[in-house]
Amino acid sequence: MPTQTVSTSSPTRVSPADSPGFFRRFLTAMGVQNMSLLMAIAFVVLVIGTQNPLFFTVPNLKVIGTAIAISGLLAVVQTLVIIMGGLDISVGSIAGLASVTSAMIFTSAGPLIGVVGAVGIGLLCGLINGCIIVFGRVNPVIATLATLAAYKGIAQLISDGRAQGYTGADPFFVFLARGSVLGVPTLIWILVVIALGIHVLLRYTTMGRNIYAVGGNDVASRLAGININRYILGIYMMTGAVAALAGILITARTGSGQPVSGSEGLELEAITAAALGGAALKGGKGTIAGTILAVILLGILTNGMTLLGVNSFWQNVAKGGLLVLAVVLQQLRSGERRIGLPG
Amino acid sequence: MPTQTVSTSSPTRVSPADSPGFFRRFLTAMGVQNMSLLMAIAFVVLVIGTQNPLFFTVPNLKVIGTAIAISGLLAVVQTLVIIMGGLDISVGSIAGLASVTSAMIFTSAGPLIGVVGAVGIGLLCGLINGCIIVFGRVNPVIATLATLAAYKGIAQLISDGRAQGYTGADPFFVFLARGSVLGVPTLIWILVVIALGIHVLLRYTTMGRNIYAVGGNDVASRLAGININRYILGIYMMTGAVAALAGILITARTGSGQPVSGSEGLELEAITAAALGGAALKGGKGTIAGTILAVILLGILTNGMTLLGVNSFWQNVAKGGLLVLAVVLQQLRSGERRIGLPG
Amino acid sequence: SSGMEAPGESGAAGGKKDGPLTIAYLQKQGDQQYFVDEAEGAKAAAKELGNVTIKVVNLGVDANKAISEMDSVIAQKVDGIIIVVPDQQIGPQVLDAAKAAGIPIMASDDVIQDAAGKDAPFAGFDGTAMGTKVGEEAARLYAESGWTAENTRILSAGKLDLSVCNQRMDGAAAAFTKAVGADGPQTIQIGTDNSATDAQNKAGAVITANAGVQNWVVWGCNDESSTGVVTALQNSGVSPANINGVGLGAYLTCKDWSAGQTTGNKSALYISGVEVGRAAVTSMVDLLRNGTALPPATIAKTEIVDAGNWKEKGVACT
Amino acid sequence: MSALAPLTIPPTAAGQVVFSATDITKSFGPVAALSGVSLELRAGEVTALMGENGAGKSTLLKIITGDYQPDTGTLTLHGGPVHFGEPRESRTAGIRVIAQEPEIIPHVSVAENIFVGLLGTRGPIFRRRELIERARTALAEFGFAGVISPEALGSELSAAQRQIVEIMRAVVDHPAVICFDEPTSSLGEEEAAILFDLIRRLRSDGVAIGYVSHRMNEIFRLADAITVLRDGRLVGTKRTEDTDHDDLVRMMVGRDLSQMFHREPVTPGATILSLNGVGNEFVHDITLSVHAGEVVGIAGLVGAGRSELLKTIVGDFAVESGDLGVGGKTVTFHTPADSVAAGVGFAPEERKAEALIMQRSVRDNIALAVLGQISRGRFVSSTREEELAHGFITKLGIRTPSDRQLVKNLSGGNQQKVVLARWLATKPRLLLLDEPTRGVDVGAKAEIYAIIDELARAGVAILMVSSELPEVLGLADRVYVMASGRITGELSREDATEESILALAMD
Ligand SMILES: Nc1ncnc2c1ncn2[C@@H]1O[C@H](COP(=O)(O)OP(=O)(O)OP(=O)(O)O)[C@@H](O)[C@H]1O
Ligand SMILES: Nc1ncnc2c1ncn2[C@@H]1O[C@H](COP(=O)(O)OP(=O)(O)OP(=O)(O)O)[C@@H](O)[C@H]1O
Ligand SMILES: [Mg+2]
Ligand SMILES: [Mg+2]
């Protein structure tokens, strides 16, 4: 250190004395977003539980868990795509395509090849999405809107619009649909494993960090040496694969490959959950924990209202209202300024 | 998230000499976007027209025009919302709600009050959307996803999920559905008038320019003194009103108020058209001309494929493929750098 | 124009056309298995009759698209129109449009009426009648099982904002009540999106809410709904013997039977889309070529099938 | 109606207080950005506001414009108390603040960017041609005619042009009070000179002007009075004639600053970077070299293509002709990922658009380019990351409550330090710096210069683009001068003077 000059005083003006209290620290760790969701879940559980104590029974909890497994899977990967700054509207169609193909391949070649083939098709669909976006320079929303139509058409064509095959007698598919490990249904395990995996990926790996960076500022990420095209392709392929897995689960649950039924509209559900869980549609922000909480909130809401015998029309109204409420709470608690378009 | 990343590629340093050539000027005025759409339309028209000359008959052109009127209206207002940096996913539900209420009010109070009442409900729905966004600080996507469910539920509740009333004998509704002025169907007139109005608003009024400013950079707009909250509220109300108009037209065409059928899924169509027409989902960019061209392209595609007897499964595949093609063409011609996520 | 001009009383009667014929078959939910079958039946009939082209159009569940596509096929000057409307309330508009253009039209699967309340010629099996058959079969199974109203619940699942679902489910309920009397088991309606997965999810909650119930009668708007509910019941541990599921369509219920599974899907109403499509096209061509008036109601082959007889009744299980 | 009316003279006589902020306090959570700060702006005077990065200058200006509300304190205008709940209220009152980060509307014309917020004042009809003409007239009137076209789109503008738009936006409708927040940090000498003329003219017209800058020479050229902040507190206000450079530094930093630049003559090592006739759309026939241990400067006017040259070197723009050599080998960088892997660091000019992930933490931003190195397997090591971040926070004096603070909440100068930290962390063998001290305070600047010198002596090759000539003259061992995308000359340390550089830059 030759000619030294000044060293600026203390870099921060926060004295060690005023370290935030434990409650504040917990809040920060949990995130305002997640706290509000937890509160909303607690509120809904309380209301429904007091109306009908059966809500709390283990079988019903299993019912909720298995009901959210498929949409949960899609919400989790959608979160990943959204954090990276993209969107994948084609997930429902990929799931449908995977559902029929898994059943058709299964019928001729057995469950394992059925699953592998379907996941392979999902990867291919994701790769196509990614290529259209990266090399065709098409906005992710339009690109996947287009492939939403195209993949659906392909699923209908190869199945001639009919449910395909019968997997209800195959031990593997039955295990997927109705089996359980350590008393917890397989479907829930699958969601937990995938969600945990992606959570770890996002939170603790260099790849995950880079995904946040790409979503936060793609120019900066590129200049910082991140190969962003590879990330975009990779994430879309991953999304395709998980969507295919969801399709296989649809096959397992319904006992046959469904080209459209059961997968149509899943994309909106997934996006709703991701956004409710705090993923910013502009990219760079979001957590798997938030998304999973949102999936749970939506799941118990549907289950609870059906359990209480709420008419399906009222369910729509209540769901919309509660969604607004949950997010408004979130936002007001985060103390953001009330100006302009919220991100 | 007010940060608007401005690409910093090649700035223009002016020398008074370098005025662009005529062809370039024309291209610029037309926009690369619109040129590509025009080319795509020409291509589709040629292919279909040579296969089946009936395509060019005046009655068929009227059919195309009336078929796109309703989705065209929604695409036009969606463009407005998107330019402002928002999104309105609830338009389909508002249209459904307006459709049933117009028919129900009509049945008891006549066509005029039916129309006025429905538009009023549309304005109210838009106001609610706007308030949730501005004062509840909810991201526009979630806010309108939530009201999508809520408004749909309300429409189903008041109609008990069934089509309501019969307007097929009322001269006013019949005029809307099947009448014509100067040989051009009323439906087409309505689309033309609204589209022109919004085109003029965006292009030639200070309000319109402020909408571009808000969508392009809300921080800059706010610092420059634009009351952006008022703009957000106003645009959402306008969207609600036009969505209600679309609902009234659904009533007129189908002869009865439809709570869901006829309006479900219109939001995706509208967003597709706006995006295909060049509106950037990040806000600040888009034209009504582009959107209308996109609506026409999608309209003749559907009409043409049905005319040629293309199986509906193939139609999905073809539509998806053509969408990708049109946008890829657009993007490649615009010569953007192939880096990062396309906006 | 005001759009109110009275339509010219030109066509509608049909007549002798010798050349090639084009018939438009507009179908709601054209991507569903039943309607795919129907379209195939129509095409098969056209091929047999010779020189007839069938133009199949999928209307989805969109009443507005139905009007657009009507306009479209009219502009294309097709010779005849067969339509399955997404919503029966649009009947008058549809019939008026065809009448104004002078093109003969008939309804398929769902009955429609003009503004005066007069039924259009029809081929198929209307929703309420289908429901009635399902309800009767469910009542038969219920009686056979010897269950009582106290230990039994009826689960009825389907998309509640689709008019045809309401008719089918209401029809089934009415027939069931008629057969077993007013003191039959309580009915629980489950609103779904007509998919098997949604039926499973929603039924799961309902089963929780009715923990003490022993026996279940199940029907729905389509095979997806009823089989979804049956699967949910079986997943929750209800034995197939305690489930009387009656499907509608048989295309999914047949899968359990074909695999020889013990299942709560006891029987199903088999509605042959192929037959409906065939019958509709045959009548229409008869009108156009020979001037034979359209029969007011052609009821196609529909019958209850079960694990024992589905094959011989002609159910095709993919 | 295209001619602009002459600047109206505010009713207040020269020297009288037009605007004052008294006892302003503002905290962001645990961070006290301002505590008890006062500022007076007088008619026909320029009041400079100075202080280290993070001292609270921008925050004060945001309070003046109504973007933030103070926790305590009062604002008065023309003697009466005012309250601005929203920026539009301060605008209506005749106050303009030119923000530190220019906010540009990307897809509309420069003319609309300039008049945004004022469009409605001439009725509801928008006349594009007329507005363009008004903008053209205004640009000419304020001296920016040749620099920017009123028809260009916002997204096409360079950093300097965006700054000019931001300035035009504020001055175009004759306000009574204007505050500039580091307006010259992205301007070249030429534009800065125009701006100074503009400010002098505003001053002689009686406008009350506030002026934030870290550049001492500007302050002494322009300011009538100087208010100094430190750590969010008011240190004092002095008339310019009552103070000097060292006195000011002492007020700002709290102690003397002995030496800005220290650079000993070097014996250059091996050639690390060599360009031989490199050209593409932006730069043409570039031949240059940088050796280990050398600091090479690139000077030139704004728009000379210096930034583009650096981006071409790292592979952001393709090399279309000529050869690029790094470490003695000819290389082709397809993307910046390749150059980073080859040991090239590049701190770009535009921190907000090109460098920082605004909604991520200081720690994440510093570690971004070295994640692979501080991870175990594929997992980021939290402790190593924290060590790294803390090291640089201390070394560069980054003012942040913690390494978890989001970068968007840092002051501009501190953000710039985060960008530098990211690239210093990569321990590059070749470091490309584009305007490395943009918006950095005097103390920290000296610190950064010392670091550059230290790196060079450790054998790193450094290529630095800077519009601040003293910086180039003080640090660079050799200087290349660019104009219109070409190198117009090469000067040794001895030959490089302001005059020789400007002569080549004007080519
Ligand atoms: N929105 C915010 N949230 C939290 N802290 C903030 C926010 N805005 C500013 N700060 C903090 O307030 C302090 C003052 O910042 P300010 O931007 O006013 O500094 P400045 O004097 O303008 O510095 P520079 O010279 O670097 O521009 C800094 O410590 C900064 O981190
Ligand atoms: N007349 C022109 N038309 C188009 N592009 C131009 C014109 N003049 C200059 N440019 C481009 O604009 C760029 C300006 O970028 P920029 O201002 O970043 O250059 P620079 O030399 O790095 O200056 P600085 O870094 O000081 O801003 C130039 O590199 C050049 O490619
Ligand atoms: Mg500042
Ligand atoms: Mg530059």
Side-chain angles (χ1 to χ4, degrees):
Chain A
M1 271 289 179
T3 59
Q4 212 12 353
T5 46
V6 282
S7 91
T8 27
S9 47
S10 72
T12 138
R13 230 167 299 140
V14 187
S15 60
D18 58 13
S19 73
F22 169 77
F23 180 66
R24 246 205 119 70
R25 287 248 298 270
F26 174 74
L27 254 182
T28 320
M30 198 60 216
V32 180
Q33 201 92 18
N34 294 355
M35 275 310 294
S36 308
L37 283 173
L38 275 176
M39 281 168 46
I41 290 175
F43 171 76
V44 172
V45 164
L46 260 170
V47 168
I48 296 170
T50 49
Q51 297 285 316
N52 191 338
L54 283 173
F55 179 74
F56 293 115
T57 56
V58 173
N60 192 50
L61 295 182
K62 282 188 189 170
V63 165
I64 297 177
T66 48
I68 63 180
I70 290 173
S71 64
L73 279 178
L74 294 181
V76 164
V77 273
Q78 194 68 258
T79 306
L80 198 62
V81 183
I82 290 176
I83 290 174
M84 194 195 53
L87 204 64
D88 191 343
I89 308 191
S90 70
V91 284
S93 289
I94 297 179
L97 182 56
S99 176
V100 276
T101 44
S102 66
M104 290 171 80
I105 303 178
F106 157 76
T107 308
S108 56
L112 205 78
I113 303 193
V115 168
V116 170
V119 170
I121 286 173
L123 282 169
L124 183 68
C125 289
L127 180 65
I128 294 174
N129 283 342
C131 286
I132 295 174
I133 293 166
V134 167
F135 302 113
R137 310 301 309 148
V138 179
N139 173 296
V141 175
I142 318 191
T144 53
L145 265 170
T147 53
L148 164 86
Y151 298 155
K152 191 204 244 172
I154 293 173
Q156 292 169 323
L157 275 175
I158 59 173
S159 67
D160 200 14
R162 296 159 209 265
Q164 294 291 324
Y166 181 70
T167 60
D170 179 75
F172 179 70
F173 279 99
V174 170
F175 171 70
L176 286 184
R178 294 202 292 272
S180 61
V181 177
L182 305 176
V184 175
T186 318
L187 280 167
I188 302 182
W189 276 115
I190 293 176
L191 175 60
V192 167
V193 167
I194 299 266
L196 260 183
I198 295 185
H199 172 77
V200 168
L201 172 86
L202 276 175
R203 192 119 181 192
Y204 300 108
T205 70
T206 54
M207 266 184 70
R209 285 300 193 68
N210 288 345
I211 293 168
Y212 278 105
V214 172
N217 185 339
D218 54 348
V219 178
S221 306
R222 182 180 141 84
L223 289 177
I226 298 174
N227 192 334
I228 55 177
N229 285 357
R230 194 186 296 165
Y231 272 87
I232 299 172
L233 291 177
I235 297 280
Y236 272 97
M237 285 177 72
M238 195 154 157
T239 309
V242 176
L245 181 59
I248 293 165
L249 297 182
I250 292 175
T251 301
R253 291 196 78 196
T254 60
S256 54
Q258 306 285 342
V260 179
S261 173
S263 53
E264 222 169 11
L266 280 179
E267 54 283 346
L268 267 192
E269 262 179 59
I271 295 170
T272 309
L276 180 60
L281 293 169
K282 286 178 181 164
K285 220 181 117 203
T287 60
I288 297 302
T291 300
I292 288 290
L293 286 177
V295 167
I296 292 175
L297 175 61
L298 295 171
I300 58 173
L301 215 59
T302 310
N303 175 280
M305 288 195 292
T306 315
L307 192 99
L308 298 184
V310 176
N311 158 318
S312 74
F313 303 159
W314 272 112
Q315 287 198 15
N316 274 332
V317 179
K319 205 163 179 173
L322 259 156
L323 246 168
V324 168
L325 209 76
V327 187
V328 167
L329 262 178
Q330 242 168 52
Q331 299 300 79
L332 297 190
R333 287 168 50 90
S334 80
E336 202 205 329
R337 308 160 67 193
R338 298 189 178 191
I339 296 152
L341 282 164
Chain B
M1 248 297 300
T3 41
Q4 169 72 41
T5 336
V6 180
S7 91
T8 52
S9 44
S10 57
T12 45
R13 201 151 228 280
V14 268
S15 64
D18 60 11
S19 76
F22 170 77
F23 180 67
R24 248 205 115 72
R25 287 250 296 271
F26 173 74
L27 254 184
T28 320
M30 199 58 218
V32 180
Q33 202 92 21
N34 294 356
M35 276 308 294
S36 308
L37 284 173
L38 275 176
M39 279 168 45
I41 291 176
F43 171 76
V44 172
V45 164
L46 260 170
V47 169
I48 298 171
T50 48
Q51 299 284 316
N52 190 338
L54 275 176
F55 179 76
F56 292 116
T57 55
V58 173
N60 192 49
L61 295 182
K62 280 188 191 171
V63 164
I64 297 177
T66 49
I68 64 178
I70 290 173
S71 64
L73 279 178
L74 294 181
V76 163
V77 274
Q78 194 67 259
T79 306
L80 197 62
V81 182
I82 290 177
I83 289 174
M84 192 194 56
L87 203 65
D88 192 342
I89 307 192
S90 71
V91 285
S93 289
I94 298 180
L97 182 56
S99 176
V100 276
T101 44
S102 66
M104 290 170 81
I105 303 178
F106 158 75
T107 308
S108 56
L112 206 75
I113 304 193
V115 168
V116 171
V119 170
I121 285 173
L123 282 169
L124 184 68
C125 289
L127 181 64
I128 294 174
N129 283 344
C131 286
I132 294 174
I133 292 167
V134 167
F135 302 113
R137 310 301 311 146
V138 180
N139 172 294
V141 176
I142 318 191
T144 53
L145 266 170
T147 54
L148 164 86
Y151 298 154
K152 191 206 258 184
I154 294 173
Q156 291 169 324
L157 274 177
I158 61 175
S159 67
D160 199 16
R162 293 157 211 270
Q164 294 291 322
Y166 178 67
T167 60
D170 179 76
F172 179 70
F173 278 100
V174 171
F175 172 69
L176 285 184
R178 292 204 293 269
S180 60
V181 177
L182 305 176
V184 176
T186 319
L187 280 167
I188 300 182
W189 277 116
I190 293 176
L191 175 60
V192 167
V193 167
I194 299 265
L196 259 183
I198 294 185
H199 173 77
V200 167
L201 172 84
L202 277 175
R203 193 121 182 190
Y204 300 108
T205 72
T206 56
M207 263 185 71
R209 302 320 293 177
N210 284 346
I211 292 168
Y212 278 103
V214 171
N217 187 335
D218 58 347
V219 175
S221 310
R222 171 167 167 266
L223 292 178
I226 296 175
N227 191 336
I228 51 179
N229 285 358
R230 194 185 293 165
Y231 272 87
I232 297 171
L233 289 176
I235 297 279
Y236 273 97
M237 285 177 72
M238 194 155 160
T239 308
V242 175
L245 182 58
I248 294 166
L249 297 182
I250 291 174
T251 301
R253 293 195 78 200
T254 61
S256 53
Q258 302 284 343
V260 179
S261 173
S263 52
E264 221 172 9
L266 279 177
E267 54 282 346
L268 267 191
E269 260 179 59
I271 295 170
T272 307
L276 182 59
L281 293 168
K282 285 179 184 162
K285 214 179 125 198
T287 60
I288 297 301
T291 300
I292 287 291
L293 286 178
V295 167
I296 292 176
L297 175 61
L298 295 173
I300 57 173
L301 215 58
T302 310
N303 175 280
M305 287 197 291
T306 321
L307 192 90
L308 299 185
V310 177
N311 161 317
S312 79
F313 302 159
W314 273 113
Q315 287 197 17
N316 276 332
V317 179
K319 208 163 179 173
L322 259 154
L323 246 166
V324 168
L325 208 76
V327 186
V328 168
L329 264 178
Q330 244 169 49
Q331 297 302 74
L332 296 191
R333 287 167 50 90
S334 80
E336 199 205 330
R337 294 180 64 198
R338 298 187 174 196
I339 294 159
L341 281 163
Chain C
S1 89
S2 69
M4 294 288 280
E5 297 78 5
E9 290 291 325
S10 50
K16 303 209 187 242
K17 292 194 186 169
D18 297 325
L21 293 178
T22 305
I23 295 171
Y25 211 129
L26 311 180
Q27 298 174 299
K28 74 174 176 199
Q29 298 179 288
D31 54 2
Q32 284 201 350
Q33 186 151 349
Y34 171 82
F35 293 105
V36 173
D37 285 344
E38 186 177 81
E40 274 178 14
K43 283 181 184 155
K47 204 165 172 196
E48 283 161 20
L49 293 164
N51 218 359
V52 179
T53 312
I54 302 291
K55 185 169 281 180
V56 179
V57 182
N58 176 11
L59 306 177
V61 290
D62 188 341
N64 181 46
K65 186 168 166 63
I67 303 295
S68 295
E69 295 298 349
M70 271 298 292
D71 289 350
S72 184
V73 295
I74 288 170
Q76 292 159 27
K77 302 201 164 59
V78 295
D79 300 292
I81 299 173
I82 306 168
I83 186 168
V84 191
V85 289
D87 189 305
Q88 283 152 307
Q89 288 283 108
I90 69 172
Q93 304 290 90
V94 168
L95 295 176
D96 280 359
K99 196 171 169 196
I103 300 177
I105 184 168
M106 75 187 288
S108 154
D109 297 282
D110 291 314
V111 179
I112 53 177
Q113 301 175 330
D114 66 14
K118 186 167 154 285
D119 281 359
F122 171 76
F125 204 74
D126 77 277
T128 311
M130 272 191 254
T132 305
K133 285 211 165 183
V134 169
E136 284 165 355
E137 170 69 4
R140 189 186 67 75
L141 290 168
Y142 173 74
E144 204 174 274
S145 309
W147 300 343
T148 64
E150 289 70 52
N151 64 14
T152 305
R153 291 286 179 282
I154 301 168
L155 295 181
S156 161
K159 198 166 188 295
L160 298 182
D161 54 16
L162 269 187
S163 63
V164 56
C165 281
N166 284 319
Q167 287 162 6
R168 291 177 188 176
M169 289 154 72
D170 293 351
F176 189 91
T177 310
K178 195 171 164 223
V180 306
D183 54 353
Q186 179 195 337
T187 303
I188 301 167
Q189 270 214 340
I190 306 176
T192 71
D193 64 6
N194 266 358
S195 74
T197 45
D198 199 39
Q200 275 185 50
N201 295 341
K202 298 274 170 60
V206 173
I207 295 163
T208 305
N210 296 277
V213 176
Q214 259 178 14
N215 306 311
W216 302 86
V217 175
V218 180
W219 64 65
C221 176
N222 53 10
D223 247 20
E224 280 85 351
S225 300
S226 60
T227 58
V229 174
V230 168
T231 307
L233 284 165
Q234 291 177 352
N235 286 353
S236 78
V238 179
S239 143
N242 296 88
I243 305 169
N244 279 337
V246 183
L248 205 163
Y251 48 93
L252 287 183
T253 35
C254 71
K255 288 179 187 278
D256 278 345
W257 303 334
S258 144
Q261 293 277 97
T262 322
T263 170
N265 292 310
K266 294 290 162 58
S267 46
L269 178 70
Y270 172 46
I271 43 179
S272 167
V274 177
E275 293 305 320
V276 175
R278 195 179 269 286
V281 167
T282 309
S283 311
M284 184 58 79
V285 171
D286 204 19
L287 166 72
L288 296 172
R289 291 243 166 93
N290 313 321
T292 318
L294 290 170
T298 312
I299 303 302
K301 193 166 89 183
T302 61
E303 58 193 318
I304 295 288
V305 295
D306 61 25
N309 66 2
W310 63 276
K311 260 190 202 137
E312 66 211 54
K313 298 286 185 188
V315 178
C317 216
T318 46
Chain D
M1 260 316 288
S2 57
L4 220 74
L7 290 173
T8 48
I9 297 164
T12 324
Q16 259 186 300
V17 176
V18 178
F19 175 87
S20 68
T22 317
D23 265 339
I24 302 291
T25 303
K26 176 77 182 172
S27 297
F28 299 100
V31 181
L34 294 171
S35 18
V37 170
S38 300
L39 174 71
E40 288 182 338
L41 301 177
R42 293 165 192 275
E45 282 195 4
V46 175
T47 306
L49 186 58
M50 300 201 70
E52 288 176 290
N53 294 131
K57 305 176 296 290
S58 298
T59 304
L60 183 56
L61 296 194
K62 283 180 184 163
I63 285 173
I64 292 175
T65 186
D67 193 7
Y68 292 157
Q69 272 67 51
D71 299 337
T72 64
T74 52
L75 307 180
T76 55
L77 181 66
H78 301 302
V82 283
H83 171 82
F84 303 133
E86 269 290 298
R88 67 173 172 278
E89 294 168 13
S90 70
R91 280 187 74 91
T92 319
I95 296 175
R96 298 287 179 278
V97 173
I98 289 148
Q100 186 166 5
E101 290 287 346
E103 293 285 356
I104 296 298
I105 304 160
H107 307 292
V108 305
S109 66
V110 163
E112 278 185 64
N113 260 295
I114 292 175
F115 287 98
V116 60
L118 300 171
L119 292 177
T121 52
R122 293 204 179 187
I125 303 302
F126 172 73
R127 294 186 188 82
R128 187 169 179 278
R129 294 247 56 92
E130 186 194 307
L131 190 80
I132 300 268
E133 282 320 307
R134 275 169 70 197
R136 201 184 300 286
T137 314
L139 282 166
E141 184 188 346
F142 290 107
F144 294 118
V147 187
I148 201 169
S149 156
E151 289 175 273
L153 289 186
S155 56
E156 300 170 341
L157 302 181
S158 71
Q161 291 170 323
R162 283 160 42 194
Q163 185 68 56
I164 289 164
V165 167
E166 179 85 28
I167 292 167
M168 286 300 300
R169 217 182 254 166
V171 298
V172 80
D173 71 329
H174 321 302
V177 178
I178 304 183
C179 298
F180 296 83
D181 197 349
E182 300 194 38
T184 51
S185 70
S186 54
L187 293 185
E189 301 277 332
E190 205 182 6
E191 291 84 4
I194 303 176
L195 174 67
F196 298 152
D197 285 343
L198 166 65
I199 291 177
R200 288 195 195 96
R201 179 160 148 219
L202 292 170
R203 171 165 62 187
S204 66
D205 287 335
V207 179
I209 298 165
Y211 190 87
V212 176
S213 177
H214 292 293
R215 297 185 181 175
M216 289 288 178
N217 56 345
E218 290 175 6
I219 300 295
F220 286 100
R221 274 163 79 184
L222 287 174
D224 300 294
I226 302 169
T227 295
V228 178
L229 303 184
R230 193 192 321 145
D231 286 354
R233 287 169 216 285
L234 182 66
V235 176
T237 300
K238 289 193 177 174
R239 301 300 297 179
T240 310
E241 52 272 22
D242 300 337
T243 182
D244 59 20
H245 180 281
D246 292 345
D247 182 40
L248 265 186
V249 170
R250 218 174 300 119
M251 286 173 77
M252 282 163 56
V253 187
R255 82 193 73 81
D256 284 321
L257 198 64
S258 52
Q259 192 179 359
M260 256 335 246
F261 303 106
H262 176 83
R263 183 88 189 120
E264 279 163 17
V266 291
T267 18
T271 309
I272 299 294
L273 174 72
S274 62
L275 275 71
N276 198 345
V278 165
N280 59 19
E281 190 187 335
F282 308 102
V283 293
H284 318 288
D285 195 22
I286 304 286
T287 300
L288 62 74
S289 62
V290 185
H291 301 90
E294 233 188 347
V295 178
V296 174
I298 301 184
L301 301 181
V302 166
R306 297 165 300 169
S307 301
E308 280 70 12
L309 174 58
L310 296 195
K311 287 186 181 171
T312 303
I313 294 173
V314 298
D316 191 33
F317 295 128
V319 173
E320 276 153 24
S321 58
D323 294 323
L324 174 66
V326 172
K329 273 183 296 195
T330 305
V331 291
T332 310
F333 296 147
H334 298 287
T335 71
D338 297 339
S339 63
V340 171
V344 180
F346 168 48
E349 175 183 18
E350 305 254 349
R351 54 178 171 251
K352 187 171 151 193
E354 301 178 331
L356 293 170
I357 323 287
M358 283 290 177
Q359 70 269 45
R360 302 293 292 174
S361 67
V362 171
R363 174 202 282 219
D364 286 2
N365 271 282
I366 292 179
L368 185 63
V370 292
L371 274 180
Q373 290 152 44
I374 59 163
S375 60
R376 295 178 207 277
R378 295 185 170 277
F379 290 85
V380 181
S381 158
S382 181
T383 39
R384 284 196 215 170
E385 194 185 18
E386 193 172 334
E387 268 169 46
L388 178 82
H390 280 192
F392 280 104
I393 288 173
T394 315
K395 187 167 186 184
L396 298 182
I398 300 173
R399 221 173 261 271
T400 170
S402 91
D403 61 341
R404 301 264 186 199
Q405 175 74 305
L406 302 190
V407 164
K408 69 174 181 189
N409 292 335
L410 294 194
S411 77
N414 284 304
Q415 291 176 348
Q416 184 67 31
K417 293 181 198 168
V418 171
V419 177
L420 286 177
R422 174 189 301 162
W423 293 108
L424 295 179
T426 62
K427 303 207 180 68
R429 58 175 164 165
L430 170 64
L431 181 59
L432 311 178
L433 300 170
D434 198 350
E435 310 283 0
T437 60
R438 222 181 115 189
V440 171
D441 67 47
V442 267
K445 248 183 205 167
E447 183 77 24
I448 289 168
Y449 298 151
I451 290 170
I452 291 177
D453 178 52
E454 191 190 322
L455 284 175
R457 274 186 295 119
V460 178
I462 293 168
L463 183 59
M464 176 182 80
V465 167
S466 175
S467 298
E468 266 188 84
L469 281 182
E471 191 168 284
V472 177
L473 295 173
L475 273 183
D477 301 318
R478 272 187 303 134
V479 180
Y480 290 100
V481 184
M482 284 185 72
S484 319
R486 291 172 196 281
I487 289 186
T488 51
E490 178 185 347
L491 298 166
S492 66
R493 189 176 179 86
E494 295 72 41
D495 299 338
T497 60
E498 297 218 4
E499 294 72 33
S500 61
I501 289 177
L502 279 178
L504 286 168
M506 296 295 194
D507 263 15

